[in-house]
Amino acid sequence: MAEELRFPTGLGTSDADTISLLGQDLAADLMGQVGFGELAFWLVAGRRPTSSEVRLFEAVLVALADHGFTPTAIAARLTYLSAPDSLQGALAAGLLGGGSRFLGVTEDCGKFLAAALKDADSDDFDEIARQAIANAKGRIPGLGHPVHKVLDPRTPVLIGIAHEEGLYGRHLRLFEAIGRVHGKNLPLNGAGVCGAALADLGFPVAMLRGFALLARAAGLLGQIAEEQRRPIANQIYLTVDRNAVYEP
């Protein structure tokens, strides 16, 4: 007799009558009772978050949702202009632009802080910060912002929520220490603080960019919806096209 195939999952399954998600009855136990942010946390962490964790986590998602006409938003709008029959293509185009300059900073900062803490042999966060800066030999992820030159307005709010909810952990402490000792007039940017906060919530640092993309998906849907109501993508395209200059 052939061996029965098994594909174990702790996420979702369904049969003719029910849908199960995270060991719960989706219709009876989750719908209308669990918010999307709480569910996203639960799906990734494999455990139900506390109300304090949900507050900080959702603040991170809000902080990363939309920043105006960034390259990711422009890519989504231009793709929608080219293929209005493919909303999923426009959304994907924006998400594919999440890299080291836009959206990737959240993950990069979390990884940088986690690596510094892994090698640390004390709880002197200023000293750990100095060593991490010396080892970096270059740009520190999460320092500086192209628009907010003095203070990123998201930073004190996120740190404040972490304090209020008892979730101000080692990654946030180290990131603030880096801000104190790096010696350059650069603010801690909100995307970096998001990475530190997510790491303090216990998420694997390799997953952090996923949360930035999750948040930005909502923002990109907003961008596409506004493009439907008040289109500008054709103007962007024509401005570039009509001013293109051939230079061999």
Side-chain angles (χ1 to χ4, degrees):
M1 181 180 295
E3 182 180 352
E4 181 182 358
L5 294 177
R6 294 175 57 82
F7 302 97
T9 177
L11 300 178
T13 60
S14 62
D15 57 30
D17 302 310
T18 62
I19 301 172
S20 175
L21 184 62
L22 298 166
Q24 311 291 312
D25 185 303
L26 177 69
D29 302 327
L30 299 180
M31 293 174 62
Q33 301 184 53
V34 174
F36 182 71
E38 180 179 357
L39 182 63
F41 188 116
W42 196 348
L43 283 165
V44 177
R47 64 174 180 83
R48 191 166 189 171
T50 67
S51 59
S52 292
E53 290 173 326
V54 171
R55 184 183 177 216
L56 180 58
F57 179 66
E58 291 190 340
V60 167
L61 296 183
V62 171
L64 296 171
D66 184 78
H67 297 162
F69 291 132
T70 59
T72 58
I74 294 170
R77 286 187 181 241
L78 288 174
T79 302
Y80 185 75
L81 169 69
S82 181
D85 53 320
S86 179
L87 187 145
Q88 72 273 20
L91 180 60
L95 294 177
L96 288 170
S100 58
R101 291 187 177 179
F102 293 88
L103 298 180
V105 173
T106 296
E107 179 184 300
D108 294 343
C109 185
K111 285 183 174 180
F112 178 82
L113 297 172
L117 289 168
K118 181 180 178 181
D119 296 334
D121 55 7
S122 77
D123 285 329
D124 183 339
F125 284 90
D126 282 10
E127 182 55 35
I128 299 172
R130 292 187 189 95
Q131 188 60 52
I133 293 168
N135 292 340
K137 299 178 182 178
R139 186 178 67 88
I140 308 297
L143 284 186
H145 193 281
V147 177
H148 309 300
K149 301 296 186 181
V150 177
L151 175 69
D152 187 321
R154 298 169 294 174
T155 295
V157 174
L158 288 167
I159 291 174
I161 292 172
H163 276 292
E164 291 168 11
E165 300 299 339
L167 296 169
Y168 182 76
R170 289 170 59 80
H171 297 84
L172 281 168
R173 289 183 67 184
L174 176 57
F175 197 38
E176 284 210 283
I178 289 172
R180 288 193 298 271
V181 307
H182 67 78
K184 299 179 181 178
N185 190 26
L186 295 171
L188 301 178
N189 69 49
V193 176
C194 287
L198 290 169
D200 277 344
L201 285 170
F203 292 112
V205 291
M207 290 296 300
L208 301 191
R209 189 174 304 189
F211 293 118
L213 295 172
L214 173 66
R216 188 54 56 92
L220 291 173
L221 283 175
Q223 291 282 342
I224 295 166
E226 186 175 71
E227 184 64 25
Q228 292 176 342
R229 297 191 304 268
R230 190 165 54 196
I232 63 164
N234 196 57
Q235 181 183 350
I236 294 172
Y237 154 61
L238 290 175
T239 298
V240 175
D241 183 69
R242 298 299 180 264
N243 291 282
V245 177
Y246 174 68
E247 294 183 356

